[in-house]
């Protein structure tokens, strides 16, 4: 997305349905393998990645690093993939945020972790949200609306009432990023809906639980 493409030598991608992540990494982005990824659990734990080999199966929903040539990845199929960079400190993050992670505050946690680990100022961060289930299709139960509004009482505008409520996760996450200090001008969001665009994207909900995964990928070229 433009807000990240403008930063050199940053590389990023949101993969589409059927894409081979290793191919995207090496051919489209010119980055070395392996990808650093987590066992995602819809929580708010942030894991810091250094130059040393990264353990398999580590739990968490956000990765941060400032090491060049280390690709961070999170996997999604309706949840929101969020990629962040701070050009000033060369710090980056990849965040997985479904409704549970949003309510748990995973995006705010990642932004604060970038500050704590690398001294990154949220005011200089650039943040891109990729394709995810949109407010058109993300029908939820009242308990999800309650949980969202308990975590952010100002998020009423992210709930669309109808026969059943629908939630706009990306606008809820934009609120969370702004509350953590990222300016409006540093935030960009795709409006592609995974459930509407079955031709392009994977959707857990549309596939009734059977879906491939797409990746959000980010790294500094070394
Ligand atoms: Zn939709």
């Amino acid at each position: 997305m433009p807000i990240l493409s403008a930063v050199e030598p940053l590389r990023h991608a949101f993969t589409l349905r059927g894409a081979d992540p290793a191919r995207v990494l090496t051919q489209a982005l010119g980055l070395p393998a392996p990808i650093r990824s987590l066992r995602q659990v819809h929580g708010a734990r942030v894991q810091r990645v250094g130059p040393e080999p990264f353990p398999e199966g580590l739990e968490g929903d956000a990765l941060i690093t400032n090491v060049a040539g280390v690709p961070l990845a999170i996997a999604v199929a309706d949840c929101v993939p969020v990629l962040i960079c701070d050009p000033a400190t060369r710090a980056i993050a990849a965040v997985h945020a479904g409704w549970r992670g949003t309510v748990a505050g995973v995006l705010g946690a990642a932004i604060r972790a970038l500050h704590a680990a690398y001294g990154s100022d949220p005011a200089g961060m650039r943040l891109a949200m990729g394709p995810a289930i949109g407010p058109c299709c993300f029908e939820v139960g009242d308990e999800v609306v309650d949980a969202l509004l308990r975590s952010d009482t100002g998020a009423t505008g992210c709930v669309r009432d109808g026969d059943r409520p629908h939630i706009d996760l990306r606008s809820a996450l934009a609120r969370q990023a702004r509350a953590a200090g990222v300016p409006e001008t540093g935030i960009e969001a795709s409006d592609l809906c995974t459930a509407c665009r079955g031709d392009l994207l994977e959707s857990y909900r549309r596939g009734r639980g059977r879906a491939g995964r797409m990746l959000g990928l980010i790294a500094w070229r070394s």
Side-chain angles (χ1 to χ4, degrees), residues 49-111:
V49 182
E52 66 282 356
F54 193 67
E56 291 265 324
L58 202 60
E59 266 188 18
D61 289 275
L63 289 158
I64 60 170
T65 195
N66 65 347
V67 181
V70 169
L72 307 181
I74 47 95
V76 291
D78 284 342
C79 291
V80 184
V82 189
L83 303 176
I84 309 171
C85 94
D86 174 38
T89 56
R90 286 283 184 102
I92 53 175
V95 184
H96 162 250
W99 76 263
R100 285 187 186 81
T102 301
V103 166
V106 67
L107 184 54
I111 292 165

Side-chain angles (χ1 to χ4, degrees), residues 132-138 170 191-197:
I133 196 162
C136 42
C137 296
F138 194 29
R170 278 173 285 202
D191 57 8
L192 279 176
C193 169
T194 46
C196 287
R197 295 299 304 271

Side-chain angles (χ1 to χ4, degrees), residues 35-41 45 47 54-60:
I35 295 170
R36 271 58 158 201
S37 61
L38 296 167
R39 195 162 77 74
Q40 300 171 179
V41 293
R45 186 183 296 177
Q47 298 284 4
F54 193 67
E56 291 265 324
L58 202 60
E59 266 188 18

